[in-house]
Amino acid sequence: MVRCMHDAADDALLAAMAAGDGDAAVVFVRRFQARVFGVAHAVLGDRDRADDVAQEAFMRAWRHGDSFDARRGSVVSWLLAITRNLAIDNLRAQRIRPTDQLEAVIAQVAARDPDPASAAMLDDDRRRVVDALRDVPHEQKRALLLAALGGRTAQEIGEIENIPLGTAKTRIRTGMRRVRAALEDQSPVSEWDER
Amino acid sequence: MTGPTCDDVRAQAADLALDTVSGEERAVLLAHLSSCTACRDEVRALGTVVDRLVRVVPPEEPPRGFEDRVLARLADQPQPLGRRRSRLALAGLGVAAALLVVALVGAALLRPGGDTRQATMVSTRGGEVVGEVTLTKKPAGILVAVPGWTPAENRPYDVRLELRSGRSVALGRLQLEQGYGGYGLGKIDPGDVRRVELLTSSGDPICGADL
């Protein structure tokens, strides 16, 4: 049965898991565990805490899977948003500074010419987002990613970057506007593209 | 005191989508969003951009045994609530909450194909899907189901309705037990309701559903 589930679409798999199908749960966890753990680790910079947060993300997905609405986005975006929110809540509770792990991810994304090994790991949608970020000035890209991936407030980004609060806000907002425009210029992404 | 204009809110829409605003700023912005569909759509669109940005993080193999730990936790859980809508109101509820819900919406919810409308409940902060809300026509009532969402599981929240006329109605205080609670709509026609929100005691929306 697990073998049959391997080819199931993400939303069908989620629905089956949410309905209590153990085989679907196995395939769902295997399919997304590296993505979920990657986000948790990038935000938290600690593998033990990332492990806890990633586990909790799957628990939330299981509990709320039957309320997932495909009209609002893909399963992987929904799952990673849950992971990000949990990780940021965990981070804020501990008041931790930006981690080396987060800095490494930002540096990798910010690189205009990623190394071939990194480029090969990009799926279609991630490549589109990286492309959308490519022409955003470095300081805006950094501020935007510190906020989006690291959960830092504008105030905190001002302190990290040693810039006034107003400048931090401007960098975040301008970066966001540019990325949004670039993403909207691209063709839509299908669920199958994203896997 | 007047609230912010749409231009003011649009200027801070990215901050709100990224959750980088202070609590006080957030309260002001969310109060505007609760009555402005266009600005709410703008923040939601930017929230989608944030979701896509998160996807640039490279996958990383979790520690050894991660999969087994997750599956063991799933196996240890009682059957999650709300898996079948016909049983939504009853599965796993405390006695008091179950009686309340049954009194309000019982017959309509328990009858498959009954006259109900359902929508996904989304957290105001972060846009996370946290559960669902159900409106029933006879008797007229709402059932909020956010099981497993820690901020709301066993707390009272004020319920605010947004009607199709644009009018907001403070319905009353809803006590959630294990993430579930029900409330009668009185003379309000369920068909007129286009949004349901839960508010903290300070009036900040914590989650909402568009019907």
Side-chain angles (χ1 to χ4, degrees), chain B residues 2-76:
Chain B
T2 59
T5 66
C6 287
D7 286 343
D8 295 335
V9 174
R10 298 295 174 91
Q12 296 186 76
D15 309 345
L16 195 56
L18 285 160
D19 195 17
T20 59
V21 292
S22 69
E24 193 173 331
E25 289 174 307
R26 176 192 316 286
V28 172
L29 293 170
L30 294 182
H32 177 92
L33 293 188
S34 70
S35 60
C36 179
T37 304
C39 286
R40 200 160 61 229
D41 289 346
E42 173 72 4
V43 172
R44 189 171 289 153
L46 290 171
T48 302
V49 175
V50 175
D51 288 347
R52 293 189 69 183
L53 283 171
V54 175
R55 298 185 60 176
V56 302
V57 177
E60 181 180 348
E61 283 305 314
R64 184 185 300 272
F66 176 83
E67 178 185 321
D68 292 339
R69 288 192 292 278
V70 173
L71 295 174
R73 282 186 65 182
L74 290 174
D76 283 346

Side-chain angles (χ1 to χ4, degrees), chain A residues 18 51 62 66 125 173, chain B residues 15 42 52 60 69 82-83:
Chain A
D51 189 315
W62 176 68
D66 57 351
D125 191 52
R173 293 170 185 174
Chain B
D15 309 345
E42 173 72 4
R52 293 189 69 183
E60 181 180 348
R69 288 192 292 278
R83 290 292 171 257

Side-chain angles (χ1 to χ4, degrees), chain A residues 7 9 29 59 82 90 96 105 123 132:
Chain A
D7 296 329
V29 172
M59 300 301 290
I82 291 173
N90 187 297
I96 293 174
V105 170
D123 61 31

Side-chain angles (χ1 to χ4, degrees), chain B residues 182-193:
Chain B
Y183 212 100
L185 287 178
K187 294 182 178 178
I188 297 172
D189 181 347
D192 289 342
V193 178

Side-chain angles (χ1 to χ4, degrees), chain A residues 35-36 39 75-84, chain B residues 54-55:
Chain A
R35 303 293 302 272
V36 167
V39 169
V75 169
V76 67
S77 290
W78 176 76
L79 182 61
L80 295 184
I82 291 173
T83 309
R84 170 188 181 265
Chain B
V54 175
R55 298 185 60 176

